[in-house]
Amino acid sequence: MGLRQVKIEVGRWEDFRRRTHPRFFFHPETARERTLYIAKRYPDEVERSLAIADAALRRQFTFEHLTHRFEGEIDWRAAPSGDREWTYLLNRHSWWTDLGRAYLLTGEEAYAREFAAELRGWMSHPCDDDLTCRKLEIGIRARNWLWALYHFLAWPGFDPRTGLEMLESLREHGRRLVQVYGEKEPVSNWGMVETRGLAYLAMMFPEFPEAMDWRDTVFRRFEEQVAKQVLADGWHVELASSYHHAVISCLMEPVLLARINEVPVPKAMETALIRMLECEMYTAQPDRRLPRLGDADALDARPVLMRGALAFDRPEFKAVAEGSTGVRTLTPIAWLFGPGGVQRYQGMKAVWPAETSKAFPDAGYYVMRSDWSREAGYLVFDCGPVITGLGRSHSHSDALSIVLSAYGRPLLVDPGRYTYFEDGEMSWRKEFKSTRSHNTVVVDGLEQSEYLGGSNWGKIARAGCVLWHGDRVLDAVMGWHDGYSRLEAPVGHMRAIFYMKEPRRLQYWLIIDSLVGSGEHLLEQYWHFAPGLEVKPPEKIPAEEYRCEFIADEIVMATLCDISDIGGDRASGQRVQAELFMGWDSPDYGLKIPASVARIAMQTQLPADIVTSGGLVRGGQMPLVRLGKGNGPPAAALAGTGEDGGNRYHVLVSKARSSTGNYEVRATRDDLHGMERQDGGKRYWVEIDGLCDRFIMPDPEEIWAWRQAGSV
């Protein structure tokens, strides 16, 4: 290259570095000041970045809980464990931002030189394979490169040729993102991720001849995507909590970048984003982590809620993110909005949401919650579409499963996803997707829905809700699925859940599993306890009883099996088998840890009911829990035994459906004898520490008959 060409390149690079428009989330000249501001107030966050950056200097990378060190040049196609997900993450270059933060904090050019060396090394290889240049990675990399670039843009040693080659590579990223957009993109999270990457390029590089066309393409695509991917109740169509969480960021960052640069954004895009944030708020567990629904990890909902609070002036998002004790760090605000954003956020009021429990009928998720404190009782019930055409890859065979927290800590969990890798003798992918890996009932050892691998399924269960009721005292929900209607002797499964949550009383959940049909079947109910819980197994079940009890820390879970006829040898004492064994829990991709699993099994003629009650401890004493079918123990045994003076609730679920096609609940505190005057229906009672509640429900066989006739 001649001297004249060198001068031209240096001039072009300097012009780019000195430009003041468009604006990024921070200016390169103030990047160090912002980073030092964050380091002073939130040192733990910066220490994490420094640790990642120091490992990168050694060419040592940790993804999905697997650490690998390269000797010399980085092999961008490496897959140390055989799992391609590790390779994909390597080619997203997320740690380049950490190298940038480390450089700004310390002033040590080793971090900047490592960034430049890795950048040149990656650009020297052809981007022509599905490992390094899968279209999802192109979209993620476009975003990550912009964040890294603005951390290093003020570095005096940034070689102009390297910088210009980076810009040209980013332009090629944009071209690819326009070209690879296919039929799948409008209806999957991939489309959102790719469009976010193109949005960064379109708004931040007006110098590119294609920039204006790209901008029009971006917002046209986003409008199409939110129309097809965001359900009316706000849930992302794939119904997996981690992907819902990711799509929020895919929408929020372009919206905020557009605001900074006074670029108009389609109203539908902001509206969908706010609805998705509301879903995240209501679905977050008391510890503010998301339940692992579908393919999901244990993600923290607070960062996006904090950003959503400031971006859209939503005080309820702030209240839920902070809880009653506040948050330890405001880095989610500081990195995106800067010191001024932190001040504005701190000046906002926090107001609790008007509701505690929430139904999401389009997604089929129903959230029960006692209050918004970190010690709240919480349950989420899944009785929506088990597998949709738009979310087949991330669905699990988990109809009517629940996730439950008490005292602000998880009790019953969805074990997660663990891996997308399906090779080897043991398919952990299939295991974590299976029905037995969820808190529901397995019939005859079979899956509710038949997973074949990848995004392929055989027979798929349908599911739905026939009842939802929520108020200050009582939440109730009832759902069904037909996954076992394919059996030679078809079986229907319905699950009703009642959450008695009046603050003055001992709170508890009542879960009624009704299995209807004919013939003899093996029924197995599974409960997956959170890792670290000390779970006491049931004592040996007497031959004449169909009940058992598990104790998990301060929670009593009592189960009654209401069975018409038990198969097998009655004298053997095997009417109901209850066991506790060690299974697996995966809080994060690539990580699995031991956790207790309860299995309650019976071979029986149908119909059969399995009734479970989970009672919270009061005053440090384990409550005495009794369950039964019928009108319950004599009323005289209940009088004057509690704060309510013996006047207990009874719950009537109407026998006939309402005009909406669903059932209705009437919860009363009237004389218990009023319960006995109701005709028909199934009756159950729960007695905890001498206080009794009674329930009347429609006959599950009647519901199943309606379902079979297509009426539900």
Side-chain angles (χ1 to χ4, degrees):
M1 179 185 298
L3 179 61
R4 183 171 182 274
Q5 185 62 31
V6 170
K7 288 181 177 179
I8 291 173
E9 289 195 355
V10 170
R12 288 173 58 202
W13 179 243
E14 289 303 316
D15 286 345
F16 175 78
R17 285 169 47 147
R18 287 195 298 264
R19 68 179 189 165
T20 58
H21 189 83
R23 296 168 56 202
F24 196 59
F25 293 106
F26 55 89
H27 192 276
E29 297 297 332
T30 62
R32 175 173 170 78
E33 179 184 343
R34 174 181 292 209
T35 305
L36 292 173
Y37 168 89
I38 294 171
K40 181 178 180 180
R41 288 159 178 78
Y42 316 111
D44 290 349
E45 174 76 10
V46 174
E47 288 298 324
R48 187 193 67 83
S49 281
L50 285 172
I52 294 172
D54 288 339
L57 292 180
R58 303 189 298 272
R59 302 282 170 89
Q60 178 177 302
F61 304 101
T62 301
F63 305 118
E64 315 296 20
H65 301 275
L66 175 65
T67 299
H68 180 74
R69 183 174 181 180
F70 294 97
E71 299 295 338
E73 292 296 315
I74 296 172
D75 177 4
W76 297 105
R77 295 174 177 81
S81 68
D83 190 340
R84 292 162 66 101
E85 291 295 321
W86 198 96
T87 317
Y88 297 147
L89 290 168
L90 179 69
N91 283 275
R92 294 176 184 179
H93 305 150
S94 60
W95 69 93
W96 285 1
T97 298
D98 296 297
L99 283 170
R101 291 173 182 173
Y103 165 66
L104 293 172
L105 280 168
T106 66
E108 295 182 15
E109 290 202 1
Y111 297 110
R113 289 194 297 268
E114 178 62 24
F115 158 72
E118 291 182 15
L119 172 63
R120 287 192 296 267
W122 190 90
M123 291 191 300
S124 69
H125 291 84
C127 187
D128 58 2
D129 62 81
D130 196 44
L131 274 176
T132 60
C133 279
R134 191 175 63 154
K135 53 188 176 182
L136 185 67
E137 274 60 59
I138 296 173
I140 295 173
R141 197 162 50 233
R143 182 261 185 203
N144 289 347
W145 278 25
L146 258 295
W147 276 87
L149 176 62
Y150 271 79
H151 279 79
F152 288 111
L153 206 52
W155 171 38
F158 206 140
D159 175 53
R161 174 176 288 187
T162 300
L164 292 175
E165 287 177 356
M166 183 184 190
L167 299 185
E168 184 55 41
S169 183
L170 282 167
R171 185 181 176 190
E172 181 59 27
H173 278 61
R175 291 172 178 149
R176 292 277 192 98
L177 289 171
V178 171
Q179 295 166 1
V180 300
Y181 196 81
E183 294 181 359
K184 175 182 176 180
E185 270 68 23
V187 294
S188 81
N189 72 83
W190 280 40
M192 292 279 195
V193 174
E194 294 164 30
T195 305
R196 176 186 63 175
L198 187 60
Y200 269 93
L201 299 175
M203 286 188 276
M204 293 310 301
F205 295 106
E207 299 90 345
F208 294 165
E210 309 92 339
M212 288 304 297
D213 288 341
W214 288 356
R215 185 189 297 182
D216 293 341
T217 298
V218 161
F219 293 123
R220 184 174 64 252
R221 287 181 179 178
F222 272 137
E223 281 192 289
E224 180 186 24
Q225 289 163 4
V226 297
K228 293 182 176 180
Q229 294 187 42
V230 182
L231 301 175
D233 60 17
W235 262 93
H236 185 255
V237 71
E238 291 175 331
L239 305 181
S241 49
S242 285
Y243 287 93
H244 179 99
H245 182 84
V247 167
I248 288 176
S249 293
C250 289
L251 291 172
M252 187 180 294
E253 290 177 11
V255 165
L256 296 178
L257 195 60
R259 281 188 189 177
I260 292 171
N261 291 286
E262 299 180 344
V263 174
V265 172
K267 182 66 175 177
M269 189 176 167
E270 285 198 2
T271 300
L273 173 56
I274 292 170
R275 291 208 315 270
M276 293 188 75
L277 284 163
E278 290 170 346
C279 286
E280 185 112 343
M281 175 184 72
Y282 281 110
T283 308
Q285 300 174 116
D287 64 2
R288 299 325 189 235
R289 291 191 176 275
L290 295 174
R292 284 167 278 165
L293 305 173
D295 278 342
D297 300 328
L299 299 182
D300 191 339
R302 289 174 296 181
V304 297
L305 291 178
M306 292 165 66
R307 290 168 175 165
L310 184 58
F312 300 108
D313 192 23
R314 295 293 293 265
E316 69 272 35
F317 293 168
K318 180 180 182 183
V320 173
E322 294 190 348
S324 57
T325 58
V327 290
R328 185 179 57 83
T329 176
L330 293 180
T331 52
I333 296 293
W335 288 123
L336 209 57
F337 297 92
V342 170
Q343 292 178 356
R344 293 194 304 274
Y345 179 83
Q346 290 174 327
M348 286 184 64
K349 291 184 178 180
V351 180
W352 293 116
E355 300 173 271
T356 53
S357 301
K358 190 74 172 178
F360 298 100
D362 300 287
Y365 292 137
Y366 295 83
V367 181
M368 301 176 168
R369 187 191 308 268
S370 61
D371 56 72
W372 284 105
S373 73
R374 296 297 175 98
E375 292 73 38
Y378 166 98
L379 182 148
V380 59
F381 179 50
D382 179 0
C383 64
V386 181
I387 296 149
T388 69
L390 304 178
R392 299 170 72 92
S393 296
H394 300 300
S395 299
H396 289 197
S397 185
D398 58 357
L400 310 190
S401 184
I402 66 170
V403 173
L404 191 154
S405 293
Y407 296 117
R409 63 172 300 177
L411 175 65
L412 298 176
V413 298
D414 183 314
R417 57 176 175 166
Y418 179 54
T419 185
Y420 292 159
F421 189 57
E422 301 196 65
D423 293 345
E425 294 183 10
M426 172 63 178
S427 176
W428 288 108
R429 176 66 169 153
K430 184 174 288 187
E431 179 66 21
F432 275 84
K433 276 180 172 278
S434 70
T435 305
R436 65 178 173 270
S437 291
H438 296 85
N439 299 306
T440 187
V441 176
V442 176
V443 177
D444 292 339
L446 301 174
E447 295 294 307
Q448 297 169 343
S449 297
E450 299 171 325
Y451 176 62
L452 304 178
S455 60
N456 301 311
W457 294 79
K459 297 286 186 179
I460 294 176
R462 294 175 297 173
C465 178
V466 295
L467 164 72
W468 166 253
H469 172 90
D471 62 34
R472 185 184 64 85
V473 171
L474 169 73
D475 292 337
V477 67
M478 188 174 186
W480 59 271
H481 81 82
D482 67 357
Y484 297 117
S485 62
R486 69 183 189 272
L487 302 182
E488 184 177 349
V491 177
H493 179 197
M494 273 142 285
R495 172 171 277 184
I497 303 174
F498 298 91
Y499 178 23
M500 303 298 286
K501 58 181 183 178
E502 185 179 2
R504 294 182 299 149
R505 297 175 45 200
L506 179 68
Q507 299 181 15
Y508 70 89
W509 292 270
L510 177 67
I511 303 169
I512 303 171
D513 286 303
S514 298
L515 287 301
V516 300
S518 61
E520 184 175 296
H521 297 271
L522 172 65
L523 309 180
E524 299 170 281
Q525 184 188 64
Y526 286 89
W527 299 121
H528 293 262
F529 293 97
L533 282 178
E534 182 181 348
V535 184
K536 179 182 176 183
E539 299 177 357
K540 184 175 180 180
I541 303 169
E544 69 278 4
E545 291 192 8
Y546 307 156
R547 64 185 72 222
C548 61
E549 184 175 277
F550 293 88
I551 300 176
D553 280 7
E554 296 181 310
I555 311 297
V556 175
M557 292 193 65
T559 296
L560 165 72
C561 304
D562 176 22
I563 303 168
S564 57
D565 185 25
I566 302 293
D569 183 0
R570 289 179 178 274
S572 69
Q574 299 303 304
R575 296 181 173 190
V576 175
Q577 295 179 325
E579 62 172 331
L580 189 69
F581 62 93
M582 294 307 293
W584 295 102
D585 182 80
S586 178
D588 197 17
Y589 188 100
L591 175 67
K592 67 180 194 296
I593 55 180
S596 296
V597 181
R599 172 182 173 269
I600 303 163
M602 64 222 71
Q603 188 82 25
T604 180
Q605 293 285 333
L606 298 189
D609 290 347
I610 309 173
V611 186
T612 303
S613 177
L616 308 191
V617 174
R618 177 176 54 188
Q621 297 295 318
M622 289 293 178
L624 175 63
V625 180
R626 297 174 60 208
L627 304 172
K629 180 183 178 183
N631 288 326
L638 308 173
T641 54
E643 293 179 357
D644 292 320
N647 197 19
R648 308 299 299 162
Y649 280 90
H650 70 253
V651 179
L652 173 67
V653 179
S654 63
K655 293 180 294 179
R657 291 178 300 154
S658 69
S659 58
T660 63
N662 290 344
Y663 296 92
E664 295 177 342
V665 164
R666 180 164 59 86
T668 74
R669 295 179 62 181
D670 299 333
D671 187 336
L672 288 175
H673 294 293
M675 193 74 160
E676 299 167 0
R677 291 195 293 268
Q678 301 295 334
D679 296 326
K682 284 217 170 187
R683 305 183 182 201
Y684 302 94
W685 54 268
V686 181
E687 182 188 349
I688 300 183
D689 284 350
L691 301 179
C692 185
D693 293 321
R694 302 182 184 188
F695 302 83
I696 291 183
M697 295 172 52
D699 192 330
E701 293 187 72
E702 204 172 298
I703 299 174
W704 185 241
W706 281 332
R707 223 256 40 96
Q708 294 289 78
S711 300
V712 175

